[in-house]
Amino acid sequence: MAAPLACSRPMTRWRLQTLICTLDREESHMLWIMRRIVASVMTALIVTSCTPEPEQSAPPPAAFTLDMAESVFAKVVAGVGANGVADFCSTFARSESTCDTLLKDALGRCLLPGDTPIVRQSAHLPAANGTEETWRLVVQGRTLDGQKYVSDFPIVLSEGKPKAVLGIYWTGQGYGTNMDDPPKYTVIPQNACPR
């Protein structure tokens, strides 16, 4: 235990009050300094714990290219060549019900794909006003009975993967906002059923 402080002069009431006030001021000043240190440390801890980590940005989606669209078309053509039209729409078309309707119409007119078609031209249609990014291929070939056709073949990104919208490419259908008024460049083959 520490020895009490020895004073050279006797303690008067006034001196005692002065000493207490001085100690209070020093204690108050030390307390203020401690509070500032604690506040600074707390602020630093809060700021560092709340600072958001830089977000790991997802890689940008792969560009939807003409090669991707032509690859989809090649798979559709190869699929028809290998399997015919059985399960065609469920395998190749995003719009399965529309594909089924077009396929029934084509079969009702005895139209089947013949030779391997070629891509005559292509157009990239960016996504706008609620429409999907699309590649429109203009394809040309001959039906099984030898008739020429020129059709639009739209391909969209479906759940991040390119997929044919309709799948049917040998009936001369056009692609646009008004399907009742097909483009002038399409060539629709005639009914091929025997009479």
Side-chain angles (χ1 to χ4, degrees):
M1 197 157 140
L5 287 173
C7 293
S8 59
R9 288 190 250 171
M11 259 312 162
T12 63
R13 188 172 181 197
W14 179 82
R15 280 196 74 150
L16 185 58
Q17 284 179 339
T18 305
L19 180 62
I20 291 172
C21 287
T22 302
L23 288 175
D24 281 346
R25 271 187 259 138
E26 286 177 11
E27 185 178 291
S28 175
H29 183 67
M30 288 300 287
L31 189 58
W32 179 83
I33 290 173
M34 290 298 288
R35 284 183 182 156
R36 295 287 296 178
I37 291 171
V38 169
S40 296
V41 169
M42 292 300 289
T43 302
L45 289 173
I46 290 170
V47 167
T48 57
S49 68
C50 292
T51 302
E53 293 182 22
E55 288 186 25
Q56 298 284 336
S57 60
F64 186 22
T65 65
L66 176 59
D67 287 341
M68 293 168 78
E70 288 179 339
S71 173
V72 168
F73 181 61
K75 286 177 187 171
V76 170
V77 171
V80 171
N83 303 319
V85 293
D87 298 322
F88 177 80
C89 293
S90 62
T91 304
F92 296 110
R94 189 196 63 178
S95 181
E96 195 173 331
S97 62
T98 304
C99 178
D100 284 336
T101 302
L102 291 172
L103 182 58
K104 284 177 188 170
D105 179 63
L107 294 176
R109 296 186 298 139
C110 302
L111 295 175
L112 293 169
D115 64 355
T116 302
I118 61 167
V119 176
R120 279 188 21 186
Q121 57 183 157
S122 60
H124 181 250
L125 309 170
N129 300 325
T131 63
E132 298 169 294
E133 181 179 10
T134 305
W135 273 98
R136 186 190 73 207
L137 304 180
V138 178
V139 299
Q140 176 180 322
R142 297 208 173 266
T143 59
L144 192 57
D145 68 319
Q147 295 184 73
K148 178 181 176 181
Y149 64 83
V150 177
S151 303
D152 280 336
F153 190 79
I155 299 164
V156 297
L157 279 178
S158 181
E159 297 176 5
K161 297 185 185 211
K163 189 153 186 165
V165 174
L166 306 172
I168 306 296
Y169 60 88
W170 61 90
T171 59
Q173 76 269 3
Y175 179 71
T177 54
N178 185 353
M179 297 304 262
D180 295 329
D181 186 22
K184 306 260 187 273
Y185 56 82
T186 59
V187 176
I188 301 171
Q190 301 300 309
N191 187 333
C193 293
R195 295 177 202 248

